[in-house]
Amino acid sequence: MSTQTARGGEARLARRLTRLYAGLALYGASSALLVRAGLGLEPWGVLHQGLAERTGLSIGAVSVVVGAVVLLLWIPIRQRPGLGTVSNVFAVGIAMDGTLALVPDAHGAAARVALAVAGIVLNGAATGLYISARFGPGPRDGLMTGLHRLTGRSVRLVRTAIEAAVVVTGFLLGGSLGAGTLLYALSIGPLAQFFLRVFALPEPDAGPRGAVGRTPGGAILPR
């Protein structure tokens, strides 16, 4: 291997790592903005908030614990974690708590809507960054694709079933549902797809826009 090729590989790895951790940090920050907006959270955020209300832990700490528990569920379904999977467990929750410490609650309808929209758009951008790095799916996404593989059910059906159970449980525990939850559900797919194209890294032997960005089973979200 030539020195130039080795340097090219190192530069590519550095770009991927930058995208991975920037995406995870941005994901946690965007989730925090949805909390501060107070208009409803994304499905797993509803569960995290509900558990935080019941346990007294910060929502970021709950996110870490839930991510670790979900990762343990990979063992019986024989999913293999990657660097992105393990990093996801810790980085998102830490970034979320850090952002919550810096950003105050929004007051007034206009400010709350603006914060919710910003959180959703940033969440889509974070998704594109994280997945384009290709270091493995997040623990929640891997659970979905693993169950898809084991059951033979469609990714859409498995994801819907998981997220419906998560939302209902979170709501019963005290998590918040609202217009922000609905807006997130309707817009995150198109936003994630858009940012996956924006941040796609070319394959080493492909053209400038290689086809990247999907986890096994076609899932697109990093949670």
Side-chain angles (χ1 to χ4, degrees):
M1 181 183 294
S2 68
T3 301
Q4 184 176 2
T5 301
R7 288 177 178 173
E10 291 173 358
R12 180 178 174 81
L13 177 61
R15 288 196 300 271
R16 290 175 62 206
L17 288 169
T18 299
R19 286 169 183 249
L20 170 65
Y21 290 107
L24 292 176
L26 189 58
Y27 201 103
S30 66
S31 296
L33 294 183
L34 292 175
V35 172
R36 290 301 187 221
L39 295 176
L41 306 179
E42 75 278 15
W44 284 94
V46 177
L47 177 62
H48 298 156
Q49 188 180 52
L51 287 170
E53 292 286 338
R54 297 286 181 170
T55 63
L57 296 173
S58 71
I59 191 170
V62 169
S63 175
V64 172
V65 172
V66 170
V69 171
V70 172
L71 191 56
L72 290 176
L73 296 177
W74 282 34
I75 297 173
I77 61 177
R78 298 181 180 180
Q79 288 283 93
R80 293 183 178 180
L83 174 64
T85 310
V86 178
S87 298
N88 182 293
V89 172
F90 300 99
V92 171
I94 292 171
M96 191 174 185
D97 275 350
T99 304
L100 287 171
L102 296 173
V103 178
D105 289 329
H107 299 287
R112 295 172 69 191
V113 169
L115 207 56
V117 171
I120 293 170
V121 173
L122 289 177
N123 197 279
T127 298
L129 278 170
Y130 170 85
I131 295 180
S132 69
R134 292 181 295 169
F135 279 106
R140 299 156 185 82
D141 206 30
L143 175 65
M144 174 187 66
T145 55
L147 291 175
H148 154 70
R149 176 175 50 82
L150 284 180
T151 64
R153 303 293 184 180
S154 69
V155 168
R156 179 179 300 177
L157 178 61
V158 172
R159 177 179 171 182
T160 300
I162 291 174
E163 294 198 348
V166 164
V167 166
V168 170
T169 303
F171 178 71
L172 293 176
L173 290 171
S176 61
L177 289 174
T181 308
L182 179 59
L183 181 60
Y184 182 94
L186 293 175
S187 60
I188 192 60
L191 283 170
Q193 200 66 31
F194 170 76
F195 283 110
L196 281 169
R197 295 192 186 100
V198 170
F199 296 123
L201 283 170
E203 298 285 356
D205 58 349
R209 286 289 177 184
V212 299
R214 286 188 176 270
T215 60
I220 60 172
L221 297 182
R223 300 289 284 158

